[in-house]
Each structure stands twice: as structure tokens, then as C-alpha cells.
Amino acid sequence: ETGVTQSPTHLIKTRGQQVTLRCSSQSGHNTVSWYQQALGQGPQFIFQYYREEENGRGNFPPRFSGLQFPNYSSELNVNALELDDSALYLCASSWGGGSNEKLFFGSGTQLSVL
Amino acid sequence: GESVGLHLPTLSVQEGDNSIINCAYSNSASDYFIWYKQESGKGPQFIIDIRSNMDKRQGQRVTVLLNKTVKHLSLQIAATQPGDSAVYFCAENPPNFGNEKLTFGTGTRLTIIP
């Protein structure tokens, strides 16, 4: 196991609601990245947090937002949920600093929007 | 647009045989490539990586080959075992994404036949 933990593991919401997903990074890692993985697809980069600041964002609307805390854990918030937001949301941690460091993924949160 | 794709969505291999999973990438400026393995209900797990200044890298039972001329990446798994059954993703690190932000392909499902 990677040491990256995500909660909850499964979540069911209805369209228009808001959701918060949580991630604890692996010990010693200061960077957290969030990915969305639709069924049968590869993960898509949402955004990354490094030292509590957003450090890059993929092609996702502003209703996807995040936070990183001083202990490097992170939250992903999604407002005004849409049916297409149903997916596996993956958190990955790494040690930042400008080099290509390996990403260590958690097992994800499976979000279903009805 | 730039994308990472796979030639085959599924691959079945007899236990003990070697398997080869292929991946085409289109961003010629990408300088870092990674293979991930994803088992059912889990997040992607790092297998092996390669930088663009190399054309081959070997790990334990796995070899990654990079052909920059045709923008092709492959993962070779030797003496496949039932535990190798999973979805395999290649991922690239495009330069405009910065470090540690990856573009994943769709994935190839590898099934090991006992």
C-alpha cells in the first residue's frame, strides 16, 4: 500500500448538491494531486497543491476547487454536482521540488451522482 | 490535440508467457513517461518509468522501451503471473504541465489465462 488514504470510499449524491472528498498524503510528501477517472478511462488531472497553494490545473471548471492544509492533507470540493461528475476521484501524493517524482495514489473515492 | 493513446484495449496472455503492451504518444516534447498498473478497486500503482534520454529501462520482470522517432512506448512483462491481471496505463509528463502532472492514456486490460 502507498500510505495515501482517501475518504469516504464511496459516496452517493444528487444533482446540484455539493461534495467534499478528503485525502491524507504519504508521510514526507508535500504535494497532492487530484485526478478524475471516469469508467473505462484513464485518470484526468484536475489540479495539484504544493505547500498549500494551487500549482497547476487541468481542464476542469471553477466549481471544482481544493485546499491543502499545513499537514499536507487535502480536500477536493465539487459544487453544483452534475451527472457527468460520477467517477472515481483519485488523490496522489509526491515530494515536490521541480523534479519528476513518482506519484503515489490512494484507492480513490467512488462518487455517484443521481 | 495532444493525447496519449493505446493500440489495444484488451490483451489475453497465457500464464508464463511474455506480454507486450503498447502505447502511442503525440506530444514530442514530453520528457518523462510512466507505466501504471491498476487493479480492481485500487488506485494506479507505479511500475516503471523512463526519461526521454533513454530508450530502454529494466525492472523486475518488466522492461519499458521508448522509441522517440515514432513516439511509441511499450511495456514488456516477462513470465506473466495471475497477479499481473490488471489495467495498465501509460502516462506522459508534457512540458506545459510542469512536473508531476501527468496525461494518462485510456488503458489496456491484461488478462492472464491460467
Side-chain angles (χ1 to χ4, degrees):
Chain A
E1 298 299 323
T2 63
V4 179
T5 58
Q6 293 187 242
S7 63
T9 55
H10 296 81
L11 200 53
I12 299 174
K13 291 285 188 178
T14 57
R15 194 170 48 183
Q17 285 188 311
Q18 179 265 342
V19 68
T20 298
L21 310 182
R22 295 178 175 82
C23 172
S24 294
S25 59
Q26 182 166 305
S27 178
H29 287 178
N30 60 5
T31 303
V32 172
S33 304
W34 286 93
Y35 286 79
Q36 181 196 66
Q37 186 176 21
L39 188 64
Q41 301 293 319
Q44 287 199 330
F45 175 72
I46 303 175
F47 43 57
Q48 181 184 86
Y49 279 83
Y50 171 62
R51 295 182 176 178
E52 303 178 56
E53 298 285 334
E54 187 178 289
N55 182 39
R57 187 180 185 93
N59 188 26
F60 281 82
R63 59 189 185 84
F64 285 77
S65 63
L67 283 173
Q68 187 178 32
F69 301 99
N71 66 354
Y72 303 127
S73 66
S74 178
E75 287 183 352
L76 165 65
N77 299 289
V78 187
N79 293 323
L81 283 167
E82 302 178 358
L83 298 180
D84 285 348
D85 295 334
S86 294
L88 179 68
Y89 288 85
L90 294 162
C91 167
S93 75
S94 58
W95 173 253
S99 62
N100 294 124
E101 294 294 333
K102 301 180 183 65
L103 295 180
F104 292 85
F105 283 87
S107 294
T109 294
Q110 185 66 55
L111 173 65
S112 298
V113 182
L114 306 178
Chain B
E2 302 289 354
S3 65
V4 175
L6 294 173
H7 295 301
L8 296 173
T10 61
L11 179 64
S12 295
V13 175
Q14 202 75 34
E15 182 178 353
D17 287 351
N18 299 334
S19 66
I20 300 175
I21 302 172
N22 296 303
C23 174
Y25 66 95
S26 56
N27 190 333
S28 58
S30 290
D31 58 2
Y32 181 57
F33 305 88
I34 314 99
W35 281 100
Y36 282 90
K37 172 186 180 183
Q38 188 173 26
E39 297 174 278
S40 181
K42 297 183 179 180
Q45 177 188 358
F46 173 90
I47 300 173
I48 192 168
D49 59 358
I50 188 168
R51 300 190 185 278
S52 58
N53 61 350
M54 304 172 67
D55 53 20
K56 180 179 180 179
R57 193 169 187 213
Q58 289 184 292
Q60 187 177 10
R61 284 202 304 119
V62 295
T63 300
V64 56
L65 299 177
L66 175 63
N67 186 331
K68 295 181 287 293
T69 302
V70 295
K71 291 182 284 187
H72 183 266
L73 195 66
S74 69
L75 176 70
Q76 301 177 1
I77 305 174
T80 54
Q81 304 168 357
D84 294 330
S85 293
V87 177
Y88 289 81
F89 294 96
C90 65
E92 65 176 316
N93 179 209
N96 60 323
F97 257 13
N99 295 315
E100 302 163 37
K101 307 176 187 73
L102 303 176
T103 298
F104 283 79
T106 304
T108 293
R109 179 172 297 280
L110 176 65
T111 301
I112 306 303
I113 304 167

